[in-house]
Amino acid sequence: MLAAIASRLPRITGAGVVMLLTAGALLMLVGLPLLYVVLQAIFPGWSRGELAGAFGLFVPLLSDPALLGLLGNTLRLGVAVVVVCALLAIPLGALRALARVPGGAAWDLIFLIPFMIPPYIAALSWMLTLQPRGYAEQLSGLSASGFLFSFSGIVFVMVLNVFPVVYFAVSRTMMSVGGRYASAARVSGAGAWRAFWRITLPLSTPGIAASLLLVFALTIEEFGTPATLGAQAGYKVLVTGIHERFSDWPIDIPGAAVLSLLLVILAMAAFYLQHWLVTRRSFVSQTGKPAAVAPIELGPWRWPVLALFGLVGVISVGVPILAVLATAFTGTLSGGLTPENLSLRHFEALFANRGGALQALTTSLGLAIGAALLTGVLGALVGYLVVRASIRGKGVLDLLSLLPNTMPGIVVAVGLILAWNQAWWPIQIYNTGAMLLLAYACLLLPYPVRYASAAFRQMGESLEAAARVCGAGFFTAFRRILLPALAPSLVVSMLLVFAIASRELVASLMVAPAGIRTVSTFVFGQFEQGSPGVGMAMSAVAIFTTTALLVTLTVFSRKRLPIAG
């Protein structure tokens, strides 16, 4: 009888076991924090185990002028950064794509560097540069603290952090879609400007719009710049409002949850529109073998264009890097930029473990390695199940793995606090370093998933099928056949996770337990304690370590950077 019943039960395969375990891990890592944010926003007493007063906070909060101010400031900041990014990056990208810009490949490499400078470090660098008796005033007599600590200053700094997103999208899109058809239009008698406005720009519009929506999402999620500059300018946004509700007494957990939910909705809307534009509003602009198109010669405009690229490079890359190095290598800020003030004392203090610097560095490295390993394993399994496995529910796995793209870091931190600060957990990880590991893994999981999914789509299925015919099970085939082929792409994604996790700020500030510091919280703390030199010494180590890792990533992947010509 039992045998008959057992024979009718569905047989659980190795892939099925892996899917169940992977789904459980994703639900704990991604689904649980978001669920707790939603439940806390709906039920104000959820953290106390009460279900009364459902949706009771929505009407009071949504009619609160302070909340409406935060929401309005967030939208205003996002729109302003998008507009300025478009005005700056679209001309630069179009010139790079369609004209023979001197040193084009070098400019692409230079414009990648803002990705390597954490936004909060860039904001602190501009503070040191433009504040009274800052580097700009010492070198040129210019003091622009009034501009920096204002809405315009916040937009200025944030644009310099994110404009490469639009620059690379525009240049790559126009390179791929604009050349052939614009050339055909020119042959048919259209002028250069007419061909650009009627052919190249319309074909590039979906890619441009998608990149601008991505910039909007990145802007409303960014914490470091609004917290650094906005605090002194009196300009508050949703992310800083959420942080205040968790860090200032009395702690307002329900209010933070409602703000977090609003931020998630905004981010999800932006990412959905971006995905919709990329996948459903594209134009087929190449058929058959692509033809090489000669770039336009700039002629007398060569030097003005070169000056434009140089000015943007100096402002976006040169100023922050030089400010970091100047602060790190001068003995005191009051001593100014003089040869007598040059010193290695800040690096000596750093490596002498002043303020727990070495512990912060080793903690960040350890957590970054852990996050890279955890996301690498999950990414490989999710990628296989989504692309290769013929099992139900894999679409849910794909959704869960990519959901962190739409979850701002501060929302992940709030969700983790709400989910794991519960007495009924058999193992208490709240207020331990494991919270940081979970936060990093949740935020950065999409990178390994996307790399692994792309790699699996490029692999043939014959070797795996042959292994199964020879009697190999799922685990043997995965370990002996698929994993070696997947390894290059997976290692690249894990290096990227390591580089980002080693400098992450907002989750570190929110969930790091007392006594545990990371690189980002150490830098933030040094500025608050009036020791910017040591903080910038640590920043220099972080920036150049990240740069070296990204160069290693590029070499290891055996691919060129996304640079043409």
Side-chain angles (χ1 to χ4, degrees), residues 25-110:
L26 287 178
L27 286 172
M28 296 290 286
L29 190 65
V30 179
L32 195 63
L34 182 58
L35 176 64
Y36 264 79
V37 168
V38 174
L39 291 175
Q40 184 66 71
I42 295 175
F43 303 104
W46 176 260
S47 58
R48 302 186 300 272
E50 300 173 2
L51 299 181
F55 299 98
L57 280 181
F58 280 77
V59 173
L61 277 176
L62 293 178
S63 60
D64 183 0
L67 173 59
L68 294 178
L70 292 177
L71 182 60
N73 286 347
T74 300
L75 294 174
R76 181 186 174 206
L77 181 62
V79 171
V81 171
V82 165
V83 171
V84 179
C85 266
L87 294 175
L88 174 65
I90 291 177
L92 288 174
L95 286 169
R96 175 69 183 94
L98 305 176
R100 193 182 300 278
V101 178
W107 290 118
D108 285 350
L109 183 59
I110 289 171

Side-chain angles (χ1 to χ4, degrees), residues 41 187 232 298 354 359 379 497:
V187 170
Q232 299 194 43
L298 290 171
R354 172 179 164 185
Q359 280 89 347
V497 168

Side-chain angles (χ1 to χ4, degrees), residues 471-545:
F474 167 79
F475 295 102
T476 301
F478 191 89
R479 179 174 57 89
R480 301 291 296 276
I481 303 296
L482 298 177
L483 193 57
L486 177 66
S489 296
L490 194 61
V491 170
V492 167
S493 68
M494 291 168 67
L495 282 172
L496 188 58
V497 168
F498 178 90
I500 299 174
S502 62
R503 67 189 198 189
E504 199 281 334
L505 174 63
V506 61
S508 302
L509 285 174
M510 293 285 288
V511 305
I516 293 183
R517 284 189 171 187
T518 64
V519 166
S520 55
T521 59
F522 178 85
V523 173
F524 227 67
Q526 290 300 309
F527 269 81
E528 290 181 345
Q529 296 168 16
S531 303
V534 179
M536 281 308 187
M538 179 69 87
S539 300
V541 172
I543 291 171
F544 288 105
T545 300

Side-chain angles (χ1 to χ4, degrees), residues 39 86 110 140 292 399 417 424 426 430 435 453:
L39 291 175
I110 289 171
S140 63
L399 175 64
I417 292 171
W424 50 263
Y430 182 73
M435 288 285 288
S453 298

Side-chain angles (χ1 to χ4, degrees), residues 366-416:
L367 289 170
I369 292 172
L373 293 174
L374 179 57
T375 57
V377 171
L378 277 177
L381 294 175
V382 172
Y384 174 84
L385 293 172
V386 168
V387 176
R388 305 293 282 270
S390 299
I391 50 181
R392 294 181 179 179
K394 62 181 184 180
V396 177
L397 287 182
D398 194 27
L399 175 64
L400 281 174
S401 66
L402 299 180
L403 190 60
N405 269 341
T406 65
M407 293 172 62
I410 197 162
V411 175
V412 171
V414 170
L416 288 171

Side-chain angles (χ1 to χ4, degrees), residues 232-268:
Q232 299 194 43
Y235 194 86
K236 298 180 180 180
V237 292
L238 283 174
V239 286
T240 55
I242 295 169
H243 183 258
E244 283 184 1
R245 280 165 169 76
F246 259 96
S247 58
D248 294 348
W249 189 262
I251 295 176
D252 182 11
I253 294 178
V258 173
L259 294 186
S260 298
L261 191 59
L262 287 177
L263 190 57
V264 168
I265 292 172
L266 287 177
M268 282 186 172

